Amino acid sequence: MASLSDIAQDLGISVSLVSKVLNDNLGTTRASTKTAHAIRKRAMELGYRKNRSAVALKSGRQNVLGVFVHRQGLPGSGLNEHLMEGIAFEAMKFHQSISLTFFEAASEFRSSCEHVHRGTMDGLIVGGVRHTELEKDLLRLNAEGLKVVTILNDELHPLLPNVKVDQGEVARMATHHLIERGCRRIAQIGGEGPRLDGYKAALREAGLPTDEALVCPCNEDDFVFEVGVRGAEYLLAGDAGSCLLAGRFDGVVAQSDQQAVGALNTFLRAGLRVPDDVRLIGIDNSAYCEFSMISLSSISQEFQQRGRLAVRMLMDAVAGKQVRSVTVKPVLHVRQSSK
Amino acid sequence: MASLSDIAQDLGISVSLVSKVLNDNLGTTRASTKTAHAIRKRAMELGYRKNRSAVALKSGRQNVLGVFVHRQGLPGSGLNEHLMEGIAFEAMKFHQSISLTFFEAASEFRSSCEHVHRGTMDGLIVGGVRHTELEKDLLRLNAEGLKVVTILNDELHPLLPNVKVDQGEVARMATHHLIERGCRRIAQIGGEGPRLDGYKAALREAGLPTDEALVCPCNEDDFVFEVGVRGAEYLLAGDAGSCLLAGRFDGVVAQSDQQAVGALNTFLRAGLRVPDDVRLIGIDNSAYCEFSMISLSSISQEFQQRGRLAVRMLMDAVAGKQVRSVTVKPVLHVRQSSK
DNA sequence: ATGAAAGCGCTAACAA
DNA sequence: TTGTTAGCGCTTTCAT
């Protein structure tokens, strides 16, 4: 590993001059073209590369971004993969490396936080769909001078800038799409809170009534396959065993692609035709939307984009700029199930 | 950020003593219990944390692992996710952060390599199913003193230790499982090379004949859904339009879960029953094995485990130890499709 | 049992 | 146009 002083010695000049030239950082003054040229040439020959820990030590920064990813309860959805890609891509641009931790339980998160401090990293990105009670720990870290940006459904606290996708908008968009495709009696599986509101808002905007019987009761707030199966079974049972339900419901909005596939499989087994009898849409735009018996329409939550934004925001914050939460628009992906 | 000298000043002692005590690194001598205690107490109070770039600068190491991940042509399989989890988990244990880059084309890999050197990272892990012509670049980096460990199907070069899963064994295991389940005429979709050999080996071991007509011709060496669809169509067509093919083939080994799901959907549409008429198995143990109409048996390539091993091997290599390639056993996961 | 000093590689204020 | 110097925070050898 060649260092600045190697170059300086070889050329019989001072280290600082070499540094200035190689950094294009001469201030008001200039270096002679000849010297500059010689320096660059020698640097090239020696394969000189900056030592990043020396730079870090000098600048008081670490050039490391902490990344805490809540291992989302949706294996195979590719959400984390997209998130990581976005973060990695943008971090690379800023020459930041990543200290990556996956966590599941809040306790895991807690203990991971122990290793987080300004001597280790400059900032922290916390991602995942669910936000639990991370707020206190993050505020503490923030108070200690560590910049924090979250990628969650909702901002945790005004001091913790967040990259959000509005969940009401996600559900509204999904429901609106089915309405546009001609559905008039749209059921909803497993939603609550903003998602439920968004669903109702879309119906209202279209002048359609809300039928509470079409909102599948759901005590688990989980996004898994089985919830979709049970939701579909509930809808089918509602028609007292008859398998052809046109008229009773003609569209289903699920809360995840897993749920949607669960419902899809159940409908198909029961002899319903998708999209002819029922149109279906999921949420997340998972890779397996392409692999179901009928390919699945979905709404993407733009995790790659959000990862990239979060890094940029964090870099701004580290640079001392004021950073504010942003909202990213979800995107509709139409496939067979709602054609 | 409290530093060693803060502690030293507060206690009116020298920095070096503080360093020694906090590192449990006193050599042959000892520090008075009282002083040691005071140091630890003050460190605690001040929330002292080591500055990692100072340590890195001093030690000549970066404590950064480069991770290059070949964005595998299998979105949704979760392979990269598992790989990253394994790597992240183990890197954390060794207090290493990660410089993460995803690449697709060899040219992307090339240009990423430009940023790779000893002033940036101590070692490099290259992961992905496919190994292209990365060898030359990696050997160059290795020659420059950067340790490299790969996570590929096969070692690239004796100087580049690899964490392998034997592809012949993967196919053999899949085929063997179907034989054990009672299949006698097992087709193979899309395989070649070691995978094809493994398939044949399993048949041979069981004393079953190889029927070339059951090896679906496949000009794309790709693992995608459509290849599975076409493979299944080929098998169905072979029976001149009849849909009940018991006797013609009773098992199918695919080269990926995507392929397997493509074949599954095609069989189901054609009226075949799975697993009654045909038993099916995929490879990768993707998350969506659980979400197909009939849940899919599969063979996992243990990417999490391999990621962890790779980090350990790399740390050994960085520490100057001799490191050799290892082989990890694939694991069978039985679900409905082969019950 | 404790401390002084040197130095890792780099940058930047200041001097010449 | 170029150089000197100090110092970022830490470890480690060699004193005391």
Side-chain angles (χ1 to χ4, degrees):
Chain A
M1 284 297 301
S3 69
L4 286 187
S5 73
D6 291 332
I7 300 177
Q9 269 183 339
D10 288 1
L11 269 58
I13 57 178
S14 77
V15 179
S16 61
L17 185 54
V18 179
S19 165
K20 287 177 209 160
V21 167
L22 290 180
N23 286 315
D24 275 332
N25 184 16
L26 291 158
T28 52
T29 61
R30 300 218 55 72
S32 80
T33 327
K34 202 171 127 240
T35 318
H37 200 264
I39 290 173
R40 278 190 242 278
K41 176 153 169 283
R42 194 78 193 114
M44 195 68 117
E45 288 165 1
L46 293 176
Y48 168 76
R49 303 309 199 108
K50 249 195 237 232
N51 181 317
R52 55 167 279 149
S53 33
V55 175
L57 178 57
K58 179 70 187 162
S59 67
R61 295 212 355 215
Q62 307 295 333
N63 297 319
V64 173
L65 303 184
V67 177
F68 278 15
V69 179
H70 185 159
R71 205 186 284 107
Q72 306 186 24
L74 299 161
S77 60
L79 296 191
N80 289 337
E81 229 166 308
H82 286 137
L83 184 62
M84 287 312 307
E85 280 198 24
I87 291 174
F89 181 85
E90 206 68 21
M92 186 59 59
K93 284 215 245 169
F94 285 97
H95 302 289
Q96 305 295 300
S97 59
I98 287 169
S99 180
L100 181 62
T101 309
F102 292 92
F103 70 97
E104 208 140 8
S107 61
E108 279 184 273
F109 177 78
R110 276 261 155 68
S111 67
S112 306
C113 279
E114 310 266 309
H115 304 282
V116 171
H117 54 90
R118 290 268 302 298
T120 303
M121 53 185 67
D122 305 316
L124 181 62
I125 293 179
V126 178
V129 161
R130 303 187 216 156
H131 60 295
T132 39
E133 51 284 76
L134 318 177
E135 183 180 336
K136 216 167 54 189
D137 293 276
L138 292 179
L139 281 175
R140 180 176 52 75
L141 292 173
N142 190 58
E144 288 172 9
L146 195 89
K147 304 299 176 180
V148 178
V149 173
T150 60
I151 305 177
L152 302 169
N153 293 347
D154 279 297
E155 194 179 78
L156 285 171
H157 187 280
L159 283 174
L160 304 172
N162 182 54
V163 187
K164 155 178 183 165
V165 160
D166 185 270
Q167 296 303 306
E169 174 62 13
V170 166
R172 202 200 59 76
M173 188 180 266
T175 312
H176 177 74
H177 168 64
L178 294 187
I179 295 171
E180 271 202 335
R181 298 298 307 135
C183 298
R184 286 298 168 269
R185 294 190 49 75
I186 299 172
Q188 139 129 354
I189 292 178
E192 49 177 26
R195 289 263 180 103
L196 187 54
D197 296 342
Y199 157 79
K200 289 181 177 168
L203 294 177
R204 203 181 319 116
E205 285 164 18
L208 293 173
T210 303
D211 181 350
E212 289 297 339
L214 291 178
V215 178
C216 304
C218 180
N219 25 25
E220 324 110 294
D221 77 324
D222 213 339
F223 299 105
V224 297
F225 188 77
E226 288 72 25
V227 172
V229 173
R230 275 195 290 279
E233 284 167 354
Y234 163 84
L235 290 170
L236 293 174
D239 209 58
S242 151
C243 270
L244 287 173
L245 302 174
R248 173 139 179 85
F249 67 95
D250 55 10
V252 175
V253 176
Q255 301 310 307
S256 71
D257 295 325
Q258 277 203 27
Q259 283 184 4
V261 174
L264 171 66
N265 290 355
T266 307
F267 289 148
L268 294 177
R269 285 203 190 93
L272 285 183
R273 292 167 305 159
V274 176
D276 310 76
D277 297 327
V278 186
R279 287 188 171 78
L280 251 180
I281 186 164
I283 289 173
D284 285 345
N285 197 39
S286 317
Y288 51 78
C289 287
E290 304 280 359
F291 317 145
S292 38
M293 278 292 277
I294 308 292
S295 68
L296 189 69
S297 298
S298 193
I299 307 279
S300 87
Q301 301 204 50
E302 299 295 286
F303 274 98
Q304 215 214 275
Q305 166 74 349
R306 287 163 80 187
R308 297 179 54 170
L309 273 175
V311 172
R312 278 186 236 156
M313 286 164 62
L314 188 53
M315 295 316 295
D316 278 349
V318 168
K321 292 184 207 157
Q322 193 65 30
V323 171
R324 297 168 51 119
S325 290
V326 297
T327 299
V328 173
K329 283 257 166 297
V331 175
L332 169 68
H333 302 262
V334 180
R335 301 194 182 83
Q336 281 299 327
S337 71
S338 69
K339 275 266 168 70
Chain B
M1 284 299 300
S3 68
L4 287 186
S5 73
D6 291 331
I7 301 177
Q9 269 183 339
D10 287 1
L11 269 58
I13 58 177
S14 76
V15 179
S16 58
L17 185 54
V18 178
S19 166
K20 287 177 210 162
V21 168
L22 289 180
N23 286 315
D24 275 332
N25 183 18
L26 291 159
T28 51
T29 60
R30 300 219 56 72
S32 80
T33 326
K34 203 173 126 237
T35 317
H37 200 265
I39 291 174
R40 279 190 243 278
K41 176 152 168 285
R42 193 79 193 113
M44 195 67 118
E45 289 165 2
L46 293 176
Y48 168 76
R49 304 308 200 107
K50 249 195 237 229
N51 181 315
R52 56 166 280 148
S53 34
V55 175
L57 178 58
K58 180 71 188 162
S59 67
R61 293 204 5 206
Q62 306 295 333
N63 297 319
V64 173
L65 304 184
V67 176
F68 278 15
V69 179
H70 185 158
R71 204 186 282 107
Q72 306 185 23
L74 298 160
S77 60
L79 295 191
N80 288 337
E81 230 167 308
H82 286 137
L83 184 63
M84 287 312 309
E85 280 198 23
I87 291 175
F89 181 85
E90 206 69 20
M92 186 60 58
K93 283 215 246 169
F94 286 97
H95 302 290
Q96 306 294 301
S97 60
I98 288 169
S99 179
L100 180 61
T101 309
F102 292 92
F103 70 98
E104 208 139 9
S107 60
E108 278 183 274
F109 177 78
R110 277 261 154 69
S111 67
S112 305
C113 279
E114 310 266 310
H115 303 283
V116 171
H117 54 91
R118 289 268 303 298
T120 303
M121 53 185 68
D122 304 315
L124 180 62
I125 293 178
V126 178
V129 161
R130 303 187 216 157
H131 57 297
T132 40
E133 50 285 75
L134 318 177
E135 182 180 336
K136 217 167 54 188
D137 293 276
L138 292 178
L139 280 174
R140 180 174 55 73
L141 292 173
N142 190 59
E144 288 173 8
L146 195 89
K147 305 299 177 181
V148 177
V149 172
T150 60
I151 305 177
L152 302 169
N153 292 347
D154 279 298
E155 194 180 78
L156 285 172
H157 187 280
L159 283 173
L160 304 172
N162 182 54
V163 187
K164 154 177 185 166
V165 160
D166 186 270
Q167 295 304 306
E169 174 62 12
V170 167
R172 203 200 58 75
M173 188 180 266
T175 312
H176 177 75
H177 169 63
L178 294 186
I179 295 171
E180 272 201 335
R181 298 299 306 135
C183 299
R184 286 299 168 266
R185 295 190 49 74
I186 298 172
Q188 139 128 353
I189 291 178
E192 49 177 26
R195 290 263 180 102
L196 186 54
D197 296 342
Y199 158 78
K200 289 181 177 169
L203 295 177
R204 202 181 318 118
E205 284 163 19
L208 294 173
T210 303
D211 181 349
E212 289 297 339
L214 291 178
V215 178
C216 304
C218 182
N219 24 27
E220 324 111 293
D221 77 324
D222 212 339
F223 298 105
V224 297
F225 187 77
E226 288 73 24
V227 172
V229 173
R230 275 194 290 280
E233 284 166 354
Y234 163 85
L235 290 170
L236 293 173
D239 209 57
S242 150
C243 270
L244 288 172
L245 303 174
R248 174 139 180 84
F249 67 95
D250 55 9
V252 174
V253 176
Q255 302 310 307
S256 69
D257 295 325
Q258 277 203 26
Q259 283 184 5
V261 174
L264 172 66
N265 290 355
T266 307
F267 289 149
L268 294 178
R269 286 203 188 93
L272 285 184
R273 291 168 306 158
V274 177
D276 310 74
D277 298 327
V278 186
R279 287 187 171 76
L280 251 180
I281 186 165
I283 290 173
D284 285 346
N285 198 39
S286 317
Y288 51 77
C289 288
E290 303 280 358
F291 316 146
S292 38
M293 279 292 277
I294 308 292
S295 68
L296 190 69
S297 298
S298 192
I299 307 279
S300 88
Q301 302 204 49
E302 300 296 286
F303 274 97
Q304 215 214 275
Q305 166 74 351
R306 288 163 79 189
R308 297 178 53 170
L309 274 174
V311 172
R312 278 186 235 155
M313 287 165 61
L314 188 53
M315 295 317 294
D316 278 349
V318 168
K321 290 184 208 157
Q322 193 65 32
V323 172
R324 297 169 50 120
S325 290
V326 298
T327 299
V328 172
K329 282 257 167 296
V331 175
L332 170 68
H333 301 263
V334 180
R335 300 194 182 84
Q336 282 298 329
S337 71
S338 69
K339 276 266 168 69

